[in-house]
């Protein structure tokens, strides 16, 4: 089954702007990485044959990102990232009709969502079901802002203060089969809810793919803060997405007061990827880094992993060991403390420090 992925990055971002964030929503950063990039990483293991990114007319900043960072990331992952501009707004699914006839299925994700839905499993489920449309779905909690009364006539039998109710909702991740795509072709603006009802009314098979994966709709500043927290607590799941990397680099980061001592984040030699499978670093490598920093005691802090694209266009995983230091190590060239603010000016190190929880923003 040939599959294209469609990343919808053309939303107006009205709620995001009203909450004080003026950046175009697809380019809003979560832990230093734009939402659109996080969605491309999420597609890395989905088994798609190509990626199309839809953006709105006037979205020059998104177009620029796609031509630069987006193209480099796609090349490293083995795709061509195709830009598709909507000259006129086509609703939240209408532009998918422009892909009719190009693939057996189109996997649609929205750039403002952050999720760990297993996309390859969703595609497999869709293929097995033989559906025209498969919608990912989960149970979302909603807190009522009032106290709820239960009545028997005029008699109060219960009082629940701000109860939490769960509703089955669309996760805004779905797969369109040929029949659904044909309905969208040459149609103009279209909404997913309308398409779903039309297919049901026509007797077509609309399938649900239930999941309990992490999911956030990042539509305002508060949701962005929740997304920052989610990526922090589930870092390896969100930051080490690549199904394969070409090489591995190991870094040790010592944190003392408001300064950071780094060994290896940029200048360390790259190791063959197979030497550090599943982010397991040979003990002698970590020992070497700590000795270079002037530390002699044994220590084994938990590693964090980060995938990124090198200047050569290859994928490299950095495995960093972050260690809080009560005292500053003996002074030497390798262990010279550097203020965090100074290191944050270097993009490659800034992302690593965010990933390690040393810096935010």
């Amino acid at each position: 089954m040939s599959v294209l992925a469609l990343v919808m990055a053309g939303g107006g971002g009205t709620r995001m702007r009203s909450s004080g964030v003026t950046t175009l929503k697809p380019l809003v950063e979560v832990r230093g990485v734009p939402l659109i990039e996080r969605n491309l990483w999420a597609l890395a293991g989905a088994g798609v044959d190509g990626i199309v990114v839809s953006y709105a007319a006037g979205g020059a900043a998104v177009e620029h990102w796609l031509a630069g960072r987006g193209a480099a990331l796609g090349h490293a992952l083995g795709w061509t990232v195709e830009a598709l501009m909507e000259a006129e707004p086509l609703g939240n699914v209408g532009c998918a009709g422009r892909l009719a006839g190009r693939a057996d299925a189109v996997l649609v994700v929205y750039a403002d969502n952050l999720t760990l839905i297993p996309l390859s499993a969703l595609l497999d489920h869709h293929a097995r079901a033989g559906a025209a449309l498969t919608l990912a779905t989960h149970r979302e909690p909603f807190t009522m802002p009032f106290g709820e009364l239960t009545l028997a006539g005029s008699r109060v039998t219960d009082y629940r203060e701000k109860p939490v109710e769960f509703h089955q909702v669309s996760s805004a991740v779905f797969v369109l089969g040929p029949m659904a795509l044909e309905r969208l072709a040459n149609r103009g603006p279209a909404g997913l809810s309308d398409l779903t009802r039309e297919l049901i009314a026509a007797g077509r098979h609309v399938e649900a793919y239930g999941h309990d994966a992490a999911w956030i709709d990042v539509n305002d500043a508060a949701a962005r803060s929740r997304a920052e927290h989610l990526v922090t607590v589930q870092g390896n799941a969100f930051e080490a997405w690549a199904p394969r990397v070409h090489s591995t680099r190991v870094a040790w980061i010592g944190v003392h007061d408001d300064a950071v001592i780094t060994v290896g984040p940029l200048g360390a030699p790259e190791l063959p990827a197979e030497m550090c499978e599943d982010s397991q670093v040979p003990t002698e490598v970590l020992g070497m880094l700590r000795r270079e920093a002037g530390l002699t005691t044994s220590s084994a802090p938990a590693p964090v992993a980060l995938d990124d694209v090198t200047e050569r266009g290859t994928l490299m995983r950095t495995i960093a060991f972050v260690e809080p230091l009560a005292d500053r190590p003996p002074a030497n060239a390798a262990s010279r403390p550097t203020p965090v603010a100074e290191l944050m000016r270097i993009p490659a190190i800034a992302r690593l420090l965010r990933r390690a929880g040393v810096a935010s923003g």
Side-chain angles (χ1 to χ4, degrees):
M1 180 175 71
S2 61
V3 180
L4 284 177
L6 174 61
V7 180
M8 301 286 286
T14 304
R15 284 178 292 177
M16 186 70 77
R17 287 195 303 274
S18 65
S19 70
V21 181
T22 57
T23 305
L24 284 175
K25 190 158 56 169
L27 300 179
V28 168
E29 293 187 351
V30 173
R31 299 289 287 182
V33 180
L35 283 165
I36 190 172
E37 178 170 338
R38 291 197 175 279
N39 274 273
L40 291 186
W41 279 112
L43 289 164
V48 300
D49 300 302
I51 293 182
V52 178
V53 179
S54 171
Y55 67 100
V62 174
E63 185 178 15
H64 178 76
W65 186 92
L66 289 172
R69 175 69 176 178
L73 182 57
H75 175 75
L77 292 168
W79 307 309
T80 297
V81 177
E82 177 185 341
L84 178 63
M85 187 186 75
E86 294 186 30
E88 297 179 359
L90 293 175
N92 64 7
V93 74
C95 73
R98 296 168 67 176
L99 304 181
R102 291 183 52 182
D104 298 318
V106 173
L107 168 64
V108 182
V109 301
Y110 291 87
D112 54 353
N113 285 345
L114 195 63
T115 182
L116 292 175
I117 294 173
L119 299 178
S120 59
L122 168 61
L123 286 168
D124 289 344
H125 187 94
H126 171 80
R128 288 196 303 271
L133 169 65
T134 299
L135 301 164
T137 177
H138 67 278
R139 288 173 57 79
E140 183 75 8
F142 292 89
T143 302
M144 183 183 291
F146 312 109
E148 181 187 43
L149 298 180
T150 302
L151 304 179
S154 62
R155 182 176 179 178
V156 177
T157 60
D158 196 11
Y159 188 131
R160 295 194 302 158
E161 185 63 34
K162 297 180 176 61
V164 177
E165 299 179 349
F166 286 82
H167 295 271
Q168 199 75 38
V169 304
S170 167
S171 306
V173 178
F174 52 96
V175 185
L176 299 162
M179 190 173 298
L181 290 167
E182 288 170 10
R183 281 184 171 266
L184 294 173
N186 304 314
R187 174 172 175 163
L192 178 59
S193 58
D194 295 330
L195 174 65
T196 301
R197 289 193 296 268
E198 287 177 18
L199 290 170
I200 293 170
R204 304 308 181 186
H205 182 176
V206 176
E207 179 74 2
Y209 175 77
H211 69 91
D212 57 4
W215 180 90
I216 292 181
D217 178 12
V218 189
N219 54 32
D220 57 24
R224 179 189 181 185
S225 295
R226 294 195 300 274
E228 295 263 357
H229 176 73
L230 177 62
V231 173
T232 299
V233 299
Q234 298 197 43
N236 282 350
F238 279 103
E239 303 279 25
W241 289 72
R244 57 171 179 78
V245 293
H246 303 105
S247 59
T248 304
R249 180 174 57 188
V250 183
W252 177 87
I253 301 173
V255 183
H256 177 70
D257 294 335
D258 60 350
V260 171
I261 299 137
T262 61
V263 178
L266 287 179
E270 296 179 25
L271 305 173
E274 57 270 17
M275 281 191 65
C276 301
E277 290 185 3
D278 300 322
S279 299
Q280 298 299 312
V281 177
T283 305
E284 59 271 21
V285 174
L286 175 58
M288 177 190 68
L289 293 173
R290 296 189 80 255
R291 287 192 298 274
E292 190 174 342
L295 300 175
T296 57
T297 58
S298 60
S299 178
V304 296
L306 175 71
D307 291 345
D308 208 346
V309 181
T310 69
E311 294 181 355
R312 303 186 309 279
T314 61
L315 289 172
M316 181 166 61
R317 176 164 297 167
T318 298
I319 303 172
F321 294 86
V322 184
E323 189 171 348
L325 302 175
D327 301 305
R328 182 173 296 182
N332 62 53
S335 63
R336 181 181 66 84
T338 306
V340 172
E342 181 178 328
L343 289 173
M344 290 296 287
R345 299 191 190 105
I346 307 172
I349 294 186
R351 187 178 176 208
L352 180 60
L353 294 181
R354 290 189 187 99
R355 169 70 185 91
V358 176
S360 59

